[in-house]
Amino acid sequence: QKEVEQNSGPLSVPEGAIASLNCTYSDRGSQSFFWYRQYSGKSPELIMSIYSNGDKEDGRFTAQLNKASQYVSLLIRDSQPSDSATYLCAVTVSGTYKYIFGTGTRLKVLA
Amino acid sequence: NAGVTQTPKFQVLKTGQSMTLQCAQDMNHNSMYWYRQDPGMGLRLIYYSASEGTTDKGEVPNGYNVSRLNKREFSLRLESAAPSQTSVYFCASSDPAGLNQPQHFGDGTRLSIL
């Protein structure tokens, strides 16, 4: 059974701080990794994709991948109250067209 | 640009009734997926279609059937609805050529079974 694990939170950070969200996965063959943001009552929205080890930056967001440790993280710099949402980590299942999602980390940015 | 469109957005059914959830995408994606999302459970894959003409079971297929009508459309059918199928249903599509590309989601269908 392939798994993706995230701390459910809530993770509370003050406005302007760095929020750090973590995700571990069990499938060593996974090739593609994604972070989605989901506001309450809405559908998941893609924030970042990462495919190789290291960091990938896009605006205030940085995704980090370490395949040896089977670990993916998302850093949000200068956190804003509008970043308050649930963040879902998703990983592809090797040899298939399937994706597995973690249960999500709820982030609260306090003004 | 519509992306992934799901209908209906809300539905209330009685136990034992049947219904079909519709999904269409206009991004020319090969793969389409149906998920359900329950509190504390995350997104769980019900069925998926890797390409037109193929369908496969996901993690929680019992009580559901699917049809990949053409490249654009992928429907999910509940033959005899049960209260345990009360959930939010999301359709997604992606184009997994080479490295798997991200999924794009519809707005969801909120389904209540009484």
Side-chain angles (χ1 to χ4, degrees), chain B residues 3-49:
Chain B
V4 179
T5 302
Q6 290 184 237
T7 55
K9 295 192 183 305
F10 301 93
Q11 185 71 48
V12 179
L13 293 177
K14 294 181 179 179
T15 297
Q17 289 185 315
S18 62
M19 81 161 295
T20 300
L21 280 61
Q22 306 287 352
C23 175
Q25 53 92 9
D26 62 2
M27 295 173 284
N28 202 36
H29 285 167
N30 284 310
S31 300
M32 298 184 73
Y33 305 78
W34 277 105
Y35 293 91
R36 60 178 289 174
Q37 188 174 39
D38 303 294
M41 300 292 289
L43 285 161
R44 292 185 292 169
L45 182 64
I46 305 171
Y47 271 94
Y48 68 103
S49 172

Side-chain angles (χ1 to χ4, degrees), chain A residues 19 21 35-37 39 45-49 55-64 73-80 82-84 87 107:
Chain A
L21 305 165
W35 283 99
Y36 289 84
R37 177 175 62 200
Y39 292 113
E45 170 193 11
L46 180 71
I47 297 176
M48 295 284 287
S49 305
D55 295 358
K56 179 181 178 182
E57 186 175 320
D58 184 0
R60 296 187 295 112
F61 299 98
T62 299
Q64 299 174 317
S73 65
L74 179 70
L75 300 178
I76 306 174
R77 291 182 299 280
D78 188 23
S79 295
Q80 301 297 309
S82 59
D83 294 325
S84 298
Y87 289 80
L107 174 66

Side-chain angles (χ1 to χ4, degrees), chain A residues 1 31-32 34 36 38 41-46 49 51 88 92-93 96-104, chain B residues 31 33 35 37 40-43 45 48 50 57 59 90 94 96 99-107 110:
Chain A
Q1 180 81 0
Q31 296 290 317
S32 305
F34 311 97
Y36 289 84
Q38 187 175 26
K42 301 295 185 182
S43 61
E45 170 193 11
L46 180 71
S49 305
Y51 302 98
L88 304 174
T92 54
V93 178
T96 77
Y97 294 101
K98 295 191 288 187
Y99 301 67
I100 291 184
F101 286 78
T103 55
Chain B
S31 300
Y33 305 78
Y35 293 91
Q37 188 174 39
M41 300 292 289
L43 285 161
L45 182 64
Y48 68 103
K57 295 178 180 179
E59 182 185 354
F90 288 104
S94 68
L99 285 174
N100 293 53
Q101 297 301 305
Q103 295 183 309
H104 299 262
F105 286 85
D107 290 339
R110 283 145 186 83

Side-chain angles (χ1 to χ4, degrees), chain A residues 2 11 18-20 22 34-35 40 46 53 55 65-66 73-74 83 95:
Chain A
K2 308 299 185 185
L11 172 66
I18 295 175
S20 178
N22 304 314
F34 311 97
W35 283 99
S40 180
L46 180 71
N53 282 329
D55 295 358
L65 174 61
N66 184 325
S73 65
L74 179 70
D83 294 325

